[in-house]
Amino acid sequence: MNSEHRIKFKNLPRKPHYYGCPKCRNCCFTDKEAGYEPLCPTYHYYKTITRSGAGMNKIAANLFEGNIVLTPAIAETVYSCTQCFGCDTRCPMSCRPTRTNLNLRRDLIEANLGPPTILQRRIESIKKHGNPLGRPAKERFQFLPNGCGDQQTADFLIYCGADVAWQDSETALAAARNLERMGIRYAFFAQEDDCGYQLYQMGVEKEAEKRANRQYKLLKKSGKKIVFLDPGLYHYFSRVRKFDLPMVFVAELYAEHISKGEYVLDNVDKVTWHDPCALGRGCDIYEEPRAVLAAVKGVETVEMARNRADAWCCGAGADAPALQPEFASWTAAQRIEEARQTGAQWIVTSCPRCRTHLAAGAETGQLVVDLSVFIDQASRGGQSHAD
Amino acid sequence: MEITQAVEALTQLLGSEKVFTDAAEQALFAGGSATTGMLHLPGVVVRPDTVEQVQGILEIANEHKLPTTVVSSGTLDYTTHPYEGGMIIDLSWMNKIIKIDEKSDYAVIEPGVTIGQLNKAIRDKGYWAPFGSYPSGICVLPNYCERGHTAMRTGGAYDDVLALEVVTPTGIRFRTGSAAFEDYDEWHTSWGPFPDIRGLFMGAGGSFGVFTKGAVRIYPMQEERRMVLAGFDSIEQSTKYCQMLGRAGLVEQNVIWHWAMYTMFEQMYGKTSLAHMSLVALKPWEKPQHCYYNMVTAQMAGYAEDMEAHEKICARLAKECGGTYITREQAEQDYPGAWEHWKLIGIDRWPCEKFGTGFVQFGAFAFVYAAPESIAALEKESMQDLYEAGLRFGMTYYSQTVDRGRTQSIRFTPFISPLDKEKSETALATIDKFYKKAMDKYGAVAMLVTHPEQRELLPETGGYYEVWKLIKKALDPNNIMNPHTLY
């Protein structure tokens, strides 16, 4: 024991729970309602408690005691976490391993051991283009044929995020149509730029904070209410940065207004809701999207065995598909199989990363649909917008 | 010790995917399974998934004289602390439920099976198992074997282990009890056909061998389950009450809760933070006005008519012992957090999901078994010692009469921050003092056989120690399993 040689970490605070964690593995499993099923994807894929909330605690405690030093092996373990918050909700000792994971990432960067090379390319892209996808900034709203809309007269500004704008623009278009039908005056936030969310997840905190503040100032100045289409960004703005802005997630807005219209679908019998980690465990929003689904006539909503706080992560969190493609595919396959067992033809969710990642692994006959697209179709009685 | 060659041999035996030498894995086991401070880093962690692999691992450990510690999860035993540069055998990958025998009410499981896993499997079949207040991620068999459990009416947690499959340090595999003849897959009793050597592997933390399978009792979920509450002004009264319940065979289990302990549940379950304030402000032998000094929970199950009668008898006995019977409605109203906890475990029979919530527990606790007539004096003296040591959050306990009142456990738990090194050292010293006093003055025995204070006393047992050494030497000639812990 080298307690007298304790390392001074810049970002990792010395917390009693690193030591107090008894490795009970509650962080790895769901609770009794969901039958103590797997919860932590990395624990169940790699089959070692090192890759769990308890592992994060013990790595932190040993770093502080000087028993171990930061190494590439530690970095690999730390960067394998999908930051799904499962451990945070299940820990009986109220540890917050996800926060520990984030802080460890920050210190790994200080020690030049992170982030992994593949993420460094994304960082460069964010710095150069304002998005992690290597796409020119000016193309962000290219999917909007008539531009972002009139921000002056709008009640709500839609905050898309890069993943929706470039990889799931159908969701953004559907959301716009839904808001219009619901009588909500909206416009897309034309000054949208990278807000630092992914940098924050990687542990590149200073740059993330700078970018977040820049976006915050512009949004604040607009004086408008903000509606988020990406739950990761909503979690980031509301729970992480705790910005003083009137904010809402799009599912909440739908839940509030859904009764005002007639929504029917006749091209699907059963759907199941996949709780995105950032929306459910991250923001405690479980019931609103379910209320929206329930309001659509002709469709039965069936629950997967692991739902709400017990929901299994899809495997797309914290850049897992880029860092650990096999793990990410395995994690998605577990969820897809769980959805199949419900008999649902559609998996409905409300996160661009969950949707695209699950869709990539979906079985024949299974569709993975964003809630906005689902509502858009329901408003047209099952006809897709393109029909 | 030749770690490099040993790692090579282990990798050859198991494949690289089951042999771990990286810092993250080392960190995981550095503090053992306990919540106490950091101790030593193992040199290698292996995760076998078959008994043959365990045999092979032990052969390699012997060849290279590698100090070996066996873990799965959850116990707070000192024997689960690794040796610097030694080997950890992590049994968590041996996690199969081999069978659930509904004719004889037992389950055969591997050591990595968790409480949640077994609970789910047996609950669907109308069974439960006494998991105490442990959370669902903890492994069943190792905790049963390390006495980490509830005191059933017959005589404690050990009795719930029926038969074991064990690999000795030199690699001999055998089964105990009715499972000894491997042609017959019967695990229903720990007795016969020859002397019961199961005890050698119970409470020994893997010092005499590695158990690779075991049968544990499971209990039919009775049609009515009750948790009967009674309040008392002293531990003398509550002990007497528990003994009377035990002698009459009325309960499955009873627990005496010190006021500071059961009021903590209010905070654990988010009902109030009053407990903390009271703890700091009061001496432990005093109590807040609104509380009973002790609350006794009597857990029982059976046919509805029987339970109705049992509860009435409990109320009568509580009164005879100077206590107050507390109705379920009163408990729900006055102690909502504590009631939620007791109902969850005693009536609904689920594992506890609030283990330690709100507290960061310093893991070295003081837990002894003593004759019931000694408990009151031991309680008072210990309270005084803890108070004088300044361990404000250590001055609370729970106590159980076991084996129908023949013996009684008492456990003090210091709830202090592990970051407070000074207080941690004070706590350790106070706990050592507690053990010494409990053993010397009151003839108590420590629950954790390998507590350092208990270990030092081992030679004082004379012939017992001599026999112990002989057995250890015969089974483990190279002294690779927990060397110098038990011998």
Coordinates of all heavy atoms in Angstrom, one line a residue, chain B residues 342-369:
Chain B
W342 N -38.1 -4.7 6.0 CA -38.4 -6.0 6.6 C -39.5 -6.7 5.7 O -39.4 -7.9 5.6 CB -39.0 -5.7 8.0 CG -37.9 -5.2 8.9 CD1 -36.5 -5.5 8.8 CD2 -38.0 -4.3 10.0 NE1 -35.9 -4.9 9.8 CE2 -36.7 -4.1 10.6 CE3 -39.1 -3.7 10.6 CZ2 -36.5 -3.3 11.7 CZ3 -38.9 -2.9 11.7 CH2 -37.6 -2.7 12.2
K343 N -40.4 -6.0 5.2 CA -41.4 -6.6 4.3 C -40.8 -7.2 3.1 O -41.1 -8.3 2.7 CB -42.5 -5.5 3.9 CG -43.6 -6.0 3.1 CD -44.6 -4.9 2.8 CE -45.6 -5.3 1.8 NZ -45.1 -5.5 0.4
L344 N -39.9 -6.4 2.5 CA -39.2 -6.9 1.3 C -38.5 -8.3 1.5 O -38.6 -9.2 0.7 CB -38.1 -5.9 0.8 CG -37.3 -6.2 -0.4 CD1 -38.0 -5.7 -1.7 CD2 -35.9 -5.6 -0.4
I345 N -37.8 -8.3 2.6 CA -37.0 -9.5 2.9 C -37.9 -10.6 3.5 O -37.8 -11.8 3.1 CB -35.8 -9.2 3.8 CG1 -34.8 -8.3 3.0 CG2 -35.1 -10.4 4.4 CD1 -33.8 -7.6 3.8
G346 N -38.7 -10.2 4.5 CA -39.4 -11.2 5.3 C -40.7 -11.7 4.8 O -41.1 -12.9 5.0
I347 N -41.4 -10.8 4.1 CA -42.7 -11.2 3.6 C -42.6 -11.5 2.1 O -43.0 -12.6 1.6 CB -43.8 -10.1 3.9 CG1 -43.9 -10.0 5.4 CG2 -45.1 -10.5 3.3 CD1 -44.8 -8.9 5.9
D348 N -42.1 -10.5 1.3 CA -42.0 -10.7 -0.1 C -40.9 -11.6 -0.5 O -40.9 -12.2 -1.6 CB -41.9 -9.4 -0.8 CG -43.1 -8.4 -0.5 OD1 -44.2 -9.0 -0.1 OD2 -42.9 -7.2 -0.5
R349 N -39.9 -11.7 0.4 CA -38.8 -12.6 0.2 C -37.9 -12.3 -1.0 O -37.6 -13.2 -1.8 CB -39.2 -14.1 0.3 CG -40.1 -14.4 1.5 CD -39.5 -15.3 2.4 NE -40.1 -15.1 3.7 CZ -40.4 -16.1 4.6 NH1 -40.0 -17.4 4.2 NH2 -40.9 -15.9 5.7
W350 N -37.6 -11.1 -1.2 CA -36.7 -10.7 -2.3 C -35.3 -10.4 -1.7 O -35.2 -10.0 -0.5 CB -37.2 -9.4 -3.0 CG -38.4 -9.6 -3.8 CD1 -39.7 -9.2 -3.6 CD2 -38.5 -10.2 -5.1 NE1 -40.5 -9.5 -4.6 CE2 -39.8 -10.1 -5.6 CE3 -37.5 -10.8 -6.0 CZ2 -40.2 -10.6 -6.8 CZ3 -38.0 -11.3 -7.2 CH2 -39.3 -11.2 -7.6
P351 N -34.3 -10.4 -2.5 CA -33.0 -9.9 -2.1 C -33.1 -8.4 -1.8 O -33.9 -7.7 -2.4 CB -32.0 -10.2 -3.2 CG -32.7 -11.2 -4.1 CD -34.2 -11.0 -3.9
C352 N -32.2 -7.9 -0.9 CA -32.3 -6.5 -0.6 C -31.5 -5.7 -1.6 O -30.4 -6.0 -2.0 CB -31.6 -6.3 0.8 SG -31.4 -4.6 1.2
E353 N -32.2 -4.6 -2.1 CA -31.6 -3.8 -3.2 C -31.1 -2.5 -2.6 O -30.7 -1.6 -3.4 CB -32.6 -3.6 -4.3 CG -33.1 -4.8 -5.0 CD -32.0 -5.7 -5.7 OE1 -30.9 -5.2 -5.8 OE2 -32.3 -6.8 -6.0
K354 N -31.1 -2.3 -1.3 CA -30.7 -1.0 -0.7 C -29.5 -1.2 0.2 O -29.2 -0.4 1.0 CB -31.9 -0.5 0.1 CG -33.1 -0.2 -0.6 CD -33.1 1.2 -1.2 CE -34.4 1.5 -1.9 NZ -34.3 2.8 -2.6
F355 N -28.8 -2.3 -0.1 CA -27.6 -2.6 0.7 C -26.7 -1.4 0.8 O -26.0 -1.0 -0.1 CB -26.9 -3.8 -0.1 CG -25.7 -4.3 0.5 CD1 -25.7 -5.1 1.6 CD2 -24.4 -3.9 0.0 CE1 -24.5 -5.6 2.1 CE2 -23.3 -4.4 0.5 CZ -23.3 -5.3 1.5
G356 N -26.6 -0.9 2.1 CA -25.7 0.2 2.3 C -26.0 1.5 1.7 O -25.2 2.4 1.8
T357 N -27.2 1.7 1.2 CA -27.5 3.0 0.6 C -27.3 4.1 1.5 O -27.7 4.1 2.7 CB -29.0 3.0 0.1 OG1 -29.2 1.9 -0.8 CG2 -29.3 4.3 -0.6
G358 N -26.6 5.1 1.0 CA -26.5 6.3 1.8 C -25.3 6.3 2.7 O -24.9 7.3 3.3
F359 N -24.7 5.1 2.9 CA -23.5 5.0 3.7 C -22.4 4.4 2.9 O -22.6 3.5 2.1 CB -23.8 4.1 4.9 CG -25.0 4.4 5.7 CD1 -26.2 3.8 5.4 CD2 -24.9 5.5 6.6 CE1 -27.3 4.2 6.1 CE2 -26.1 5.8 7.3 CZ -27.3 5.2 7.1
V360 N -21.2 4.9 3.2 CA -20.1 4.2 2.6 C -19.4 3.5 3.8 O -18.9 4.0 4.7 CB -19.1 5.2 2.0 CG1 -17.9 4.5 1.5 CG2 -19.8 5.9 0.8
Q361 N -19.6 2.2 3.7 CA -19.3 1.4 4.8 C -17.8 1.0 4.9 O -17.2 0.6 3.9 CB -20.1 0.1 4.7 CG -20.1 -0.8 5.9 CD -20.9 -2.0 5.8 OE1 -21.8 -2.0 4.9 NE2 -20.7 -3.0 6.5
F362 N -17.3 1.2 6.0 CA -15.9 0.7 6.3 C -16.1 -0.8 6.6 O -16.8 -1.1 7.6 CB -15.3 1.4 7.5 CG -14.0 1.0 7.8 CD1 -12.9 1.4 7.1 CD2 -13.8 0.2 8.9 CE1 -11.6 0.9 7.4 CE2 -12.5 -0.3 9.3 CZ -11.4 0.1 8.5
G363 N -15.5 -1.6 5.8 CA -15.9 -3.0 5.8 C -15.5 -3.9 7.0 O -16.0 -5.0 7.2
A364 N -14.6 -3.5 7.8 CA -14.2 -4.3 8.9 C -15.2 -4.2 10.0 O -15.2 -3.2 10.8 CB -12.8 -3.9 9.4
F365 N -16.1 -5.2 10.1 CA -17.1 -5.1 11.2 C -16.8 -6.1 12.2 O -16.0 -7.0 12.1 CB -18.5 -5.3 10.6 CG -18.6 -6.5 9.7 CD1 -18.6 -7.8 10.2 CD2 -18.6 -6.3 8.3 CE1 -18.7 -8.8 9.3 CE2 -18.6 -7.4 7.5 CZ -18.7 -8.7 8.0
A366 N -17.5 -6.0 13.3 CA -17.2 -6.9 14.5 C -18.4 -7.8 14.6 O -19.6 -7.3 14.8 CB -17.0 -6.0 15.7
F367 N -18.2 -9.1 14.5 CA -19.3 -10.0 14.4 C -19.0 -11.3 15.2 O -18.0 -12.0 14.8 CB -19.6 -10.4 13.0 CG -21.0 -10.8 12.7 CD1 -21.5 -10.8 11.4 CD2 -21.8 -11.4 13.7 CE1 -22.8 -11.2 11.1 CE2 -23.1 -11.8 13.4 CZ -23.6 -11.7 12.1
V368 N -19.6 -11.5 16.3 CA -19.3 -12.7 17.1 C -20.6 -13.5 17.5 O -21.7 -12.9 17.4 CB -18.6 -12.3 18.4 CG1 -17.3 -11.7 18.2 CG2 -19.5 -11.4 19.3
Y369 N -20.4 -14.7 17.8 CA -21.4 -15.5 18.4 C -21.1 -15.7 19.9 O -19.9 -16.0 20.3 CB -21.5 -16.9 17.8 CG -22.1 -16.9 16.5 CD1 -21.4 -16.8 15.3 CD2 -23.5 -17.1 16.3 CE1 -22.0 -16.8 14.0 CE2 -24.1 -17.1 15.1 CZ -23.3 -17.0 13.9 OH -23.9 -17.0 12.7

